């Protein structure tokens, strides 16, 4: 879902940056417009996550009502908010690709799974609640 959360704006940013000159104001306008649209998307997704917790139970939606995970509704809503916050942050990768800095984009993308694994190891090693295992991957998405 992450690649589609930017509503296709990332492709427009890549085109605007790669087809314009260095000092062309089109670059700045394209990135600024993309961030504004992605912020609106972030607000909508966050609102749905939080409002969902108000109107129904996430544990029922996920068919985990008898799982014994007491804070599942809160944790699910928080993960949705974290996911929503990463939507505008994805513009950086698109800018790197447009500037032909693919090796840097690859390194940045490779750090996500490594940090997620380390975060999971810390949670398991400290014996924390199983609900918290969703956060390492959400935070580095």
């Amino acid at each position: 879902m992450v690649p589609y959360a930017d509503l296709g704006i990332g492709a427009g940013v890549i085109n605007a940056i790669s087809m314009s000159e260095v000092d062309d104001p089109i670059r700045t306008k394209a990135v600024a417009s993309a961030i504004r649209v992605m912020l609106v998307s972030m607000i909508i997704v966050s609102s749905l996550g939080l409002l969902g917790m108000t109107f129904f139970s996430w544990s029922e939606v996920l068919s985990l009502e008898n799982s014994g995970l007491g804070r599942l509704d809160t944790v699910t809503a928080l993960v949705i908010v974290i996911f929503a916050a990463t939507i505008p942050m994805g513009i950086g990768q698109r800018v790197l690709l447009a500037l032909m800095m693919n090796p840097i984009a690859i390194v940045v993308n490779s750090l996500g799974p490594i940090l997620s694994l380390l975060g999971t190891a810390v949670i398991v090693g400290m014996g924390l609640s199983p609900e918290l295992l969703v956060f390492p991957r959400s935070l580095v998405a």
Side-chain angles (χ1 to χ4, degrees):
M1 193 167 137
V2 174
Y4 306 108
D6 72 353
L7 307 172
I9 302 295
V13 169
I14 290 173
N15 288 340
I17 292 175
S18 63
M19 298 175 100
S20 61
E21 299 295 324
V22 175
D23 295 333
D24 196 345
I26 290 176
R27 286 182 167 195
T28 308
K29 289 179 183 179
V31 173
S33 296
I35 290 174
R36 281 192 293 271
V37 170
M38 290 181 186
L39 285 173
V40 170
S41 178
M42 177 190 81
I43 291 168
I44 291 170
V45 171
S46 295
S47 299
L48 290 174
L50 294 173
L51 288 174
M53 192 172 70
T54 305
F55 295 112
F56 56 84
S57 171
W58 282 112
S59 54
E60 288 177 12
V61 171
L62 299 171
S63 297
L64 295 170
E65 57 269 356
N66 297 324
S67 66
L69 302 172
R71 298 179 298 192
L72 186 62
D73 287 343
T74 305
V75 169
T76 303
L78 189 56
V79 166
I80 291 172
V81 169
I82 292 170
F83 165 74
T86 65
I87 294 171
M89 293 180 205
I91 197 73
Q93 178 186 3
R94 304 317 196 279
V95 170
L96 288 173
L97 293 175
L99 295 174
M100 305 300 285
M101 301 176 109
N102 295 354
I104 295 172
I106 291 169
V107 169
V108 169
N109 281 339
S110 300
L111 290 175
I114 294 168
L115 293 173
S116 177
L117 178 65
L118 290 173
T120 301
V122 168
I123 290 171
V124 170
M126 293 178 67
L128 299 175
S129 178
E131 295 103 343
L132 300 177
L133 289 172
V134 298
F135 289 113
R137 184 63 195 141
S138 300
L139 292 171
V140 296

